[in-house]
Amino acid sequence: MLTAFARAFKTPDLRKKLLFTLGIIVVYRMGTHVPIPGVDYTAVQQCMDEASANQGLFGLVNMFSGGALLQITIFALGIMPYITASIILQLLTVVIPRLEALKKEGQAGTTKITQYTRYLTVALAILQGTGLVATARSGALFSGCQVAGSIVPDRAIFTTIVMVICMTAGTAVVMWLGELITDRGIGNGMSILMFISIAATFPSALWAIKKQGTLAGGWIEFGTVIAVGLVMVGLVVFVEQAQRRIPVQYAKRMIGRRSYGGTSTYIPLKVNQAGVIPVIFASSLLYIPALVAQFSSGTSGWKTWIETHLVKGDHPIYITLYFLLIVFFAFFYVAISFNPEEVADNMKKYGGFIPGIRAGRPTAEYLSYVLNRITWPGSLYLGLIALVPMMALVGFGASQNFPFGGTSILIIVGVGLETVKQIESQLQQRNYEGFLR
């Protein structure tokens, strides 16, 4: 593998893409440490030190921003507005006929949907930036910190507007950097930035576990976490690569004097067809009641019940709801992202058929049957992987920001595999030995 990396850097075009990607990553990481105007950075650092073990409701978003959210920097919102906008547009494509028609138009339609995604990203950034500033001003961003209320000392409306504009502009810059990587670098830009954001929080999280450990100076806990992480990475790689290949044959057709078709291929149905989307959906949905309870005043019964059962990840009700929501959203997302009837119609249109299955409706029913069967183990796998931080919280008293959580491992392994495959394909185009043997 080291030899393949050396050969990749020896290839001029590939070296240029790799260095360009690394340069964009450096710029992105620098932006995550530049505070926005109107923020008392000393107070932020003091609260960060006090709340390092418990980031509460904002742990997931802070992870996706590479730790920039709780530091209230220009890249505080990170890539989350773009992820949310992309998911919303993908869901609306199934509901709105206009978007569905654009999706079928090919490159022109995809460009238009990408433009809509950018507009929606900016709108969501304004909304989330306003919410973050309001949360920081109220002191709820760092619950329990003595100086949390003085993070934003100037409460003037002009200062608030400037802070929101800076964070919105930062989100637009992050989106631009991701598109630059996609166009001129290696891999999918947004995925690479998400990968870097999550990986950047690993060293501090691992060292915090070592410092909080009690066995042999914390080294036993540190080694146990590393071993669990390696096992999880191996499991995720195994399942992410697993797929059911449905054979497809195309009948030979004569058009004029030339024959077409007569080839065999397959439809790859992954065991984890939904990816990490169900975990993000479930986490976001469970944050809503806890967020409402945090901003509501008084000590009503419903607020107490939510704070007891739906805020801490070690409660059985929270764990059960989280698991069930992941399973539900796995089936839901697979249902809207893979249409068996559309695939069957396209196969019939071009003379393709599954051996032993009639073309048309029987093919759609067969694809739906197979998809439902492999989605069950995929959804259960997602649920179990996502529950690892909960189990660590219950069994070892770890923080809710366990470094090898399900979401982080799934994203890191998935993006890493995809990026390596792209480098591998470019090396093979130049007749060089790649990473995969």
Side-chain angles (χ1 to χ4, degrees):
M1 187 170 179
L2 293 176
T3 306
F5 265 116
R7 289 180 174 177
F9 275 97
K10 287 180 181 178
T11 307
D13 294 342
L14 197 53
R15 182 178 64 244
K16 184 177 179 181
K17 291 182 178 181
L18 289 171
L19 292 177
F20 180 82
T21 303
L22 291 175
I24 295 295
I25 289 173
V26 170
V27 172
Y28 173 67
R29 289 304 300 161
M30 289 175 60
T32 58
H33 293 87
V34 179
I36 62 174
V39 175
D40 187 349
Y41 194 65
T42 305
V44 170
Q45 290 303 310
Q46 182 177 341
C47 289
M48 283 286 293
D49 295 337
E50 295 180 10
S52 59
N54 182 19
Q55 295 171 0
L57 297 174
F58 307 98
L60 180 70
V61 183
N62 188 59
M63 180 184 70
F64 279 120
S65 66
L69 175 77
L70 295 182
Q71 297 185 42
I72 320 179
T73 65
I74 57 174
F75 289 170
L77 301 179
I79 205 70
M80 276 300 287
Y82 184 85
I83 297 173
T84 308
S86 300
I87 294 173
I88 291 174
L89 262 297
Q90 195 168 2
L91 295 176
L92 291 179
T93 302
V94 185
V95 180
I96 301 178
R98 169 60 180 164
L99 293 177
E100 188 175 2
L102 283 175
K103 185 179 179 181
K104 295 179 179 179
E105 287 183 4
Q107 184 62 35
T110 303
T111 303
K112 199 69 176 178
I113 292 177
T114 303
Q115 188 176 2
Y116 292 155
T117 305
R118 292 170 183 163
Y119 294 151
L120 184 57
T121 299
V122 173
L124 290 175
I126 295 174
L127 182 63
Q128 294 179 12
T130 305
L132 178 59
V133 172
T135 306
R137 288 176 56 178
S138 66
L141 187 62
F142 296 98
S143 57
C145 180
Q146 296 180 355
V147 295
S150 61
I151 289 178
V152 184
D154 189 357
R155 305 300 178 94
I157 201 72
F158 177 76
T159 303
T160 302
I161 293 175
V162 170
M163 293 174 68
V164 173
I165 290 176
C166 286
M167 282 190 284
T168 304
T171 300
V173 171
V174 170
M175 182 170 57
W176 177 60
L177 292 177
E179 292 181 353
L180 282 178
I181 293 177
T182 303
D183 294 339
R184 300 172 57 185
I186 290 291
N188 182 281
M190 301 303 175
S191 300
I192 293 290
L193 294 183
M194 194 188 310
F195 175 94
I196 295 300
S197 298
I198 297 173
T201 61
F202 268 38
S204 59
L206 288 171
W207 191 247
I209 288 176
K210 190 268 176 189
K211 290 170 61 178
Q212 295 169 9
T214 57
L215 301 175
W219 289 108
I220 293 181
E221 289 89 345
F222 182 83
T224 303
V225 169
I226 294 293
V228 170
L230 292 176
V231 171
M232 287 184 60
V233 168
L235 175 63
V236 171
V237 170
F238 177 77
V239 178
E240 290 297 317
Q241 297 289 84
Q243 57 182 224
R244 168 73 183 275
R245 295 182 175 182
I246 300 178
V248 178
Q249 292 184 354
Y250 286 90
K252 184 176 292 187
R253 296 179 298 168
M254 295 295 297
I255 301 179
R257 294 184 178 182
R258 303 185 64 179
S259 63
Y260 296 88
T263 58
S264 298
T265 183
Y266 61 87
I267 301 174
L269 296 180
K270 295 180 65 177
V271 173
N272 182 23
Q273 190 81 6
V276 75
I277 300 298
V279 181
I280 297 176
F281 276 10
S283 302
S284 303
L285 197 61
L286 279 178
Y287 279 164
I288 294 175
L291 194 62
V292 172
Q294 184 175 5
F295 285 102
S296 63
S297 57
T299 56
S300 56
W302 65 270
K303 179 181 178 181
T304 305
W305 189 91
I306 289 176
E307 291 177 345
T308 305
H309 299 86
L310 296 180
V311 173
K312 293 185 177 181
D314 57 350
H315 199 280
I317 293 181
Y318 183 96
I319 293 174
T320 304
L321 279 177
Y322 191 45
F323 183 81
L324 293 177
L325 283 173
I326 289 174
V327 173
F328 167 76
F329 281 122
F331 278 91
F332 174 76
Y333 188 77
V334 168
I336 65 171
S337 61
F338 186 89
N339 189 347
E341 294 184 358
E342 183 179 350
V343 174
D345 290 341
N346 289 334
M347 289 170 54
K348 185 177 180 180
K349 186 180 188 180
Y350 294 103
F353 63 93
I354 299 174
I357 307 295
R358 293 179 59 187
R361 184 172 183 81
T363 298
E365 293 176 351
Y366 177 76
L367 291 175
S368 180
Y369 172 83
V370 174
L371 194 62
N372 287 333
R373 294 306 181 273
I374 67 172
T375 301
W376 268 114
S379 62
L380 296 177
Y381 146 81
L382 277 178
L384 292 175
I385 288 292
L387 288 182
V388 167
M390 316 293 181
M391 297 299 104
L393 188 65
V394 174
F396 303 102
S399 70
Q400 294 190 39
N401 306 292
F402 187 68
F404 293 108
T407 309
S408 57
I409 288 294
L410 287 169
I411 292 175
I412 283 182
V413 172
V415 175
L417 287 174
E418 189 62 33
T419 305
V420 167
K421 286 180 181 178
Q422 289 201 20
I423 299 176
E424 170 78 12
S425 64
Q426 296 203 26
L427 284 174
Q428 289 180 347
Q429 288 178 2
R430 296 166 176 82
N431 297 321
Y432 286 144
E433 183 182 355
F435 296 111
L436 305 179
R437 300 268 178 149

